[in-house]
Amino acid sequence: MKAYHRGNNHSEKIISLTFDDGPTEFTLRILTILEKNSAKATFFCIGRQIENYPEILEITHQSGHLIGNHTFHHSSKNGFYSTEKIIDEIVSTNQLIGEKINVTTKIFRPPFGVTNPHIAKALNKTQHNVIGWDIRSLDTVINDEKKLLNRITGQIKPGSIILMHDTSDKTANVLEQLFVFLQKENYKVVPLNELLKIDVYEN
Ligand SMILES: [Zn+2]
């Protein structure tokens, strides 16, 4: 299965920020920090969370960020689902996103980054681009903000795709510090369509 893990640009200092598992009540603070730094990011949203926070999805979209599909239930059993069940998870989430913000998203990130032949078959059917990452922040695992920041900055290179989660204030704190580093190092944050030169939405 083809998946994108980073951009091909090995000279230009551009990277992408991605936030998984929202929308949540923590998303708004992330949006404020992105806005302050004139950066556009990509949010891989869970259907169930969109049902809980539809207005936050709308604000994220209206602020110029991209929306990707991250399944409807984000089940820990996702890796054991049949092809049909995975298709249902993806299609129902795409439909909900379409209802709320009137776009058809073509990018998908599998929960926990897990892929298998069923998921590959499902994606072949739904025709989504699979988006991975080359820097996993571990922001849901590591509690020390300084350690988290160093983990990310130590791995950044041109073309990097950083995985974070808009599910805690800790991530927002680290994001503020990350922007200080990016500015110092002359890195520019661009949305995934620019980094990967792909269409994120169906025309
Ligand atoms: Zn996730």
Side-chain angles (χ1 to χ4, degrees):
M1 183 166 64
K2 189 189 173 191
Y4 294 91
H5 294 284
R6 53 173 307 209
N8 276 328
N9 50 299
H10 297 300
S11 52
E12 213 183 337
K13 288 183 110 177
I14 56 174
I15 60 152
S16 279
L17 301 175
T18 63
F19 297 91
D20 288 11
D21 297 1
T24 74
E25 68 263 37
F26 299 101
T27 309
L28 289 176
R29 197 179 146 209
I30 303 271
L31 293 181
T32 304
I33 297 166
L34 291 171
E35 169 98 60
K36 208 175 85 189
N37 290 280
S38 310
K40 301 296 182 212
T42 305
F43 291 78
F44 287 93
C45 295
I46 300 172
R48 209 175 40 188
Q49 289 300 113
I50 296 171
E51 285 188 326
N52 290 335
Y53 300 96
E55 68 290 342
I56 294 182
L57 177 80
E58 283 163 25
I59 293 167
T60 306
H61 172 64
Q62 282 157 12
S63 305
H65 305 291
L66 300 173
I67 306 297
N69 186 325
H70 197 40
T71 74
F72 205 94
H73 295 97
H74 201 281
S75 168
S76 56
K77 298 188 187 75
N78 200 71
F80 304 100
Y81 281 176
S82 67
T83 304
E84 288 69 31
K85 196 152 184 197
I86 297 160
I87 290 173
D88 188 50
E89 284 280 321
I90 297 172
V91 169
S92 56
T93 305
N94 251 55
Q95 271 169 0
L96 186 58
I97 292 170
E99 269 170 41
K100 300 297 177 198
I101 60 171
N102 203 28
V103 300
T104 303
T105 188
K106 290 166 66 174
I107 53 172
F108 173 77
R109 178 172 277 164
F112 317 105
V114 171
T115 55
N116 62 37
H118 288 297
I119 297 173
K121 252 189 247 172
L123 288 162
N124 191 35
K125 174 98 196 240
T126 66
Q127 290 287 303
H128 281 77
N129 287 311
V130 181
I131 311 293
W133 57 79
D134 70 334
I135 301 177
R136 182 176 213 163
S137 66
L138 292 181
D139 58 347
T140 57
V141 181
I142 298 172
N143 281 320
D144 186 317
E145 290 174 10
K146 183 98 189 138
K147 215 166 152 183
L148 256 176
L149 178 69
N150 289 341
R151 183 184 158 84
I152 300 169
T153 58
Q155 298 179 73
I156 284 183
K157 51 186 175 295
S160 280
I161 298 174
I162 304 175
L163 163 65
M164 289 185 277
H165 296 81
D166 48 331
T167 56
S168 74
D169 264 326
K170 178 179 60 183
T171 295
N173 295 340
V174 170
L175 183 63
E176 279 185 327
Q177 293 308 308
L178 178 59
F179 272 112
V180 174
F181 171 88
L182 293 173
Q183 197 162 20
K184 203 177 84 197
E185 297 291 323
N186 281 315
Y187 272 102
K188 192 180 164 211
V189 175
V190 299
L192 274 182
N193 59 335
E194 274 183 45
L195 189 87
L196 299 174
K197 299 182 173 62
I198 57 167
D199 286 331
V200 162
Y201 298 142
E202 219 166 83
N203 293 316

